[in-house]
Amino acid sequence: MALIELIYVSTVTTPLSDEQLIELNRFCKSTNQLNGISGMLLYDGHHFMQVIEGERDHVERLYKNIQQDPRHTEVVALIINDLPKRNFSRWSMGVIDLSKHPSYRKVKTTRPHRRLPLSYKLLKSFRDHEMEFEERVRKSFG
């Protein structure tokens, strides 16, 4: 089956505590491993940005569940692409709380010949607060 990546942003309904974020990570890892999902979740205290990679039907099913999760609203898919290979193959779900780890905000030097995948570029833009969120974002996938 073909791989896809889905990248979405959302707004949290209530800020998550450290314990809630740890529990979310634990749940996502176990569920994602069973379904062949990999990816990365960034959290800045107000918004999520997540990259989900896997077989199309698994990713679409997971995204529908994510849209129903009461921990966040205004879930909007930014990118849905075919994927020749996974960019986060070692992560059944990596979670980074940017509000707790300011070191992730530091710009790291990349080799000029290395082309970063779009998912990395979007995560970097989110991390560096280069994205603006409208007060009411239109929901995707009706």
Side-chain angles (χ1 to χ4, degrees):
M1 267 223 181
L3 291 174
I4 67 165
E5 69 179 346
L6 185 146
I7 303 170
Y8 76 86
V9 293
S10 65
T11 302
V12 298
T13 51
T14 305
L16 299 176
S17 67
D18 292 343
E19 294 78 22
Q20 289 172 313
L21 203 54
I22 289 167
E23 183 54 36
L24 174 63
N25 188 22
R26 189 175 301 135
F27 175 78
C28 290
K29 279 184 178 181
S30 63
T31 303
N32 290 350
Q33 285 175 344
L34 292 173
N35 292 298
I37 299 287
S38 54
M40 173 62 69
L41 175 69
L42 295 184
Y43 172 67
D44 70 358
H46 305 285
H47 301 95
F48 288 118
M49 176 181 262
Q50 185 171 11
V51 177
I52 306 166
E53 304 171 331
E55 294 179 9
R56 179 174 293 278
D57 57 336
H58 292 173
V59 170
E60 288 175 352
R61 190 173 327 121
L62 175 59
Y63 183 65
K64 286 182 190 213
N65 290 337
I66 287 169
Q67 288 177 300
Q68 303 305 313
D69 191 319
R71 289 174 283 209
H72 59 171
T73 64
E74 302 166 348
V75 180
V76 178
L78 300 175
I79 302 289
I80 303 171
N81 283 330
D82 291 331
L83 198 60
K85 67 175 188 140
R86 293 175 189 263
N87 294 308
F88 299 95
S89 59
R90 292 187 229 153
W91 299 78
S92 58
M93 186 47 59
V95 176
I96 298 174
D97 183 350
L98 296 172
S99 65
K100 301 277 192 256
H101 300 286
S103 62
Y104 283 107
R105 294 200 185 279
K106 294 179 184 171
V107 176
K108 298 189 175 165
T109 305
T110 58
R111 296 181 204 143
H113 68 278
R114 183 172 178 224
R115 292 189 51 174
L116 293 176
L118 177 60
S119 56
Y120 282 38
K121 292 176 185 177
L122 283 171
L123 290 171
K124 182 182 175 304
S125 292
F126 181 83
R127 176 195 73 190
D128 295 341
H129 295 289
E130 295 172 353
M131 303 179 92
E132 291 185 22
F133 294 89
E134 296 178 15
E135 188 174 319
R136 295 279 302 150
V137 181
R138 282 179 280 143
K139 295 185 186 222
S140 59
F141 291 105

